[in-house]
Amino acid sequence: MIRKPTKEIKIGNVTIGNNNPIAIQSMTNTLTKNIPETIAQIKELQELGCEIVRVSVPDQESVNALKEIKQNINIPLVADIHFDAKLAIEAAKYADKLRINPGNIGNEEKIKQVINAAKENNIPIRIGVNLGSLEKDLEKEYGLTPKAMLESVKRQIAIFEKNDFHNIVVALKTSDIKKTIEVNRMFAKEYDYPIHLGITEAGSGFSGTIKSSIGIGTLLQDGIGDTIRVSLSAQPNEEVKVAKQILSSLKIRKFGVEITSCPTCARANLDVIQTTKELEKLTEKSKTPISIAVMGCAVNGPGEAKEADIGVVGGIDECLLYKKGEIIRKIKKEDISKVLLDEIEGR
Ligand code: SF4
C-alpha cells in the first residue's frame, strides 16, 4: 500500500499526515461539563490506544471545562462545535484542534473570526462536511451526492485559504459506504490536506463495525486517510478496539497482542471460542507486540502455530505449546490462558 502524500498537521503532541502513523481518534459520550467523568473516560480510551480525542462543546459550561480536561490528559483534545462561532473562538484557547462544520457556524465573517482564533492559538481546524447537512443550493444542484459534498468542501476550503489559513484537516463523511469512498477518492485527487476517515452514524457495534471496516478499510488500502474514527452506537472503548483492528488487519500498524484463532469444528480438542474471548479481554491493554495462535486441532493448528510467536494446538488429552515455530512443551487444557498470558508478559 502506497500512502498518498499529504500535508503534515500538528494536533497537540501528535503529528498527522504524510508518513506519520495513521492516528486513532474517538469521541467521548459523557457530558463534557462533567469534568471528572469526561477525564475518566478519556483516560480509559487513552489506555486502550486512542491517540486523539474529541469532545462535544455544545454550551459555555463545556467550554469552561476544556482547560481542566486538557490539564489531566495526555492525548490531544479536539473541541467539536456547531452553530456557535463564539464557543469555537473561546474553545480555541484550550483545545488542540477545532472541529467545525463551517456550513452551520454562521456567515463568512463568523468563520473568519474562528479562523483568526485558531491562528492566534496555532491550532488546526478540521472542516467536517456531512451529507446530512449540505448547503441547500448544492443539494438542489447536485442532489445528495459525493459531487455535492466535494463542492461544499471546496467552497469552505476557499474561505479558509482566502484568509491565509492552511492548517486544515478535512472529513467527508456519510452513512453510505459507497458515497463516502467516492467523495474521499475525489477529494484526495485534488487536495493534499490530511483526511480524517469515518463512516458516520454507522449503527450498532455489530453493523457499525462491518460498515466502518469496509469503508475505512477500502480507503486505507487506496492509500487515503491520515486519521480514523470508527463511529458506533456503543461505548467509545469499542470504537478504539475496532479502529486498532482495522489498522492491524491491513498491516498498517501493529498494536499489542494479535490473536489468530480457528473457527472450531467437530475436531476441536479445546474450547477455542472461550479461550480466545478470555485472552482478548485479558490482553486488550497490553502493549507487547506479539502474535498468538489458538487452534483447535492438528489439521491447521501446527501451520498457524508455527507462523505465530506463540501458538497452542489442541490435542486429545493435552495441548501443544509452540514458540517461534517450535513445539516447546505439552500443557493442560485448563492452563492454556494462564500459560499464554505468562508467555506474553515474559514471565
Ligand atoms: Fe476444526 Fe481443527 Fe480447523 Fe479448528 S483447526 S477449525 S478444530 S479442523
Side-chain angles (χ1 to χ4, degrees):
M1 182 201 95
I2 299 166
R3 263 178 89 187
K4 186 194 169 303
T6 48
K7 252 171 88 74
E8 285 195 344
I9 297 285
K10 260 181 94 68
I11 306 165
N13 56 9
V14 171
T15 304
I16 62 154
N18 217 27
N19 284 324
N20 292 292
I22 295 168
I24 295 177
Q25 298 200 27
S26 189
M27 188 164 181
T28 54
N29 62 3
T30 53
L31 288 177
T32 305
K33 61 190 174 190
N34 185 334
I35 300 173
E37 266 189 26
T38 303
I39 291 172
Q41 190 171 65
I42 295 175
K43 285 190 167 163
E44 174 76 8
L45 292 172
Q46 194 181 307
E47 261 188 69
L48 283 167
C50 177
E51 294 159 318
I52 299 169
V53 71
R54 179 155 56 116
V55 297
S56 261
V57 181
D59 48 33
Q60 187 60 42
E61 281 173 291
S62 302
V63 175
N64 298 345
L66 292 177
K67 189 175 176 189
E68 194 174 335
I69 294 171
K70 170 85 193 129
Q71 283 167 346
N72 283 281
I73 61 172
N74 300 319
I75 53 177
L77 181 67
V78 182
D80 185 277
I81 306 189
H82 294 272
F83 309 115
D84 194 332
K86 252 183 69 201
L87 292 179
I89 292 162
E90 216 187 320
K93 292 184 207 154
Y94 313 110
D96 296 301
K97 183 172 85 169
L98 297 179
R99 187 270 176 173
I100 60 167
N101 179 343
N104 71 26
I105 211 83
N107 56 26
E108 211 172 310
E109 182 48 37
K110 292 230 167 99
I111 298 175
K112 197 173 159 186
Q113 289 169 10
V114 177
I115 291 173
N116 287 339
K119 271 188 195 168
E120 270 165 36
N121 293 285
N122 197 21
I123 59 167
I125 296 179
R126 160 145 74 94
I127 304 174
V129 169
N130 205 304
L131 194 66
S133 53
L134 277 182
E135 294 96 316
K136 290 290 159 246
D137 63 316
L138 291 174
E139 190 180 327
K140 206 169 155 211
E141 189 172 351
Y142 301 106
L144 291 173
T145 59
K147 173 78 177 153
M149 290 179 77
L150 185 69
E151 291 305 317
S152 171
V153 80
K154 275 184 172 179
R155 200 180 263 185
Q156 288 162 11
I157 288 175
I159 299 172
F160 283 70
E161 290 180 340
K162 192 167 83 187
N163 286 286
D164 197 25
F165 189 84
H166 306 269
N167 203 0
I168 296 170
V169 181
V170 165
L172 296 149
K173 295 187 182 180
T174 86
S175 55
D176 180 307
I177 302 170
K178 287 188 173 184
K179 286 181 184 174
T180 306
I181 292 171
E182 200 181 329
V183 68
N184 279 284
R185 282 178 174 161
M186 286 157 85
F187 180 82
K189 268 195 196 142
E190 290 194 42
Y191 290 92
D192 68 350
Y193 291 118
I195 299 179
H196 169 71
L197 292 182
I199 302 294
T200 197
E201 289 108 30
S204 68
F206 175 70
S207 69
T209 296
I210 296 169
K211 287 186 193 171
S212 298
S213 305
I214 297 170
I216 296 173
T218 303
L219 286 162
L220 289 175
Q221 191 57 22
D222 278 359
I224 296 170
D226 301 284
T227 69
I228 67 172
R229 186 215 171 177
V230 172
S231 306
L232 302 176
S233 305
Q235 281 303 312
N237 282 3
E238 297 304 312
E239 298 188 351
V240 175
K241 289 189 223 165
V242 176
K244 280 169 77 174
Q245 194 59 48
I246 292 173
L247 290 171
S248 65
S249 301
L250 287 168
K251 304 218 179 312
I252 292 172
R253 294 187 61 182
K254 259 190 150 185
F255 305 95
V257 181
E258 208 176 309
I259 303 174
T260 303
S261 58
C262 80
T264 86
C265 69
R267 292 179 195 276
N269 291 317
L270 67 93
D271 189 345
V272 175
I273 297 174
Q274 189 51 33
T275 307
T276 308
K277 237 190 205 165
E278 233 174 82
L279 272 178
E280 262 179 9
K281 186 79 205 134
L282 291 168
T283 60
E284 67 183 11
K285 289 179 185 166
S286 169
K287 303 264 186 285
T288 312
I290 200 166
S291 56
I292 307 283
V294 181
M295 302 295 291
C297 80
V299 173
N300 292 322
E304 291 291 349
K306 279 181 194 166
E307 283 290 305
D309 294 318
I310 302 167
V312 64
V313 178
I316 306 286
D317 299 317
E318 288 178 307
C319 301
L320 291 177
L321 181 68
Y322 285 71
K323 208 169 166 181
K324 302 269 174 232
E326 306 286 336
I327 296 173
I328 55 165
R329 63 186 161 99
K330 288 182 177 171
I331 52 174
K332 288 194 185 127
K333 290 180 188 177
E334 59 270 29
D335 293 342
I336 295 174
S337 293
K338 188 187 173 310
V339 170
L340 289 177
L341 257 192
D342 285 351
E343 291 291 339
I344 290 165
E345 286 166 10
R347 288 192 287 243

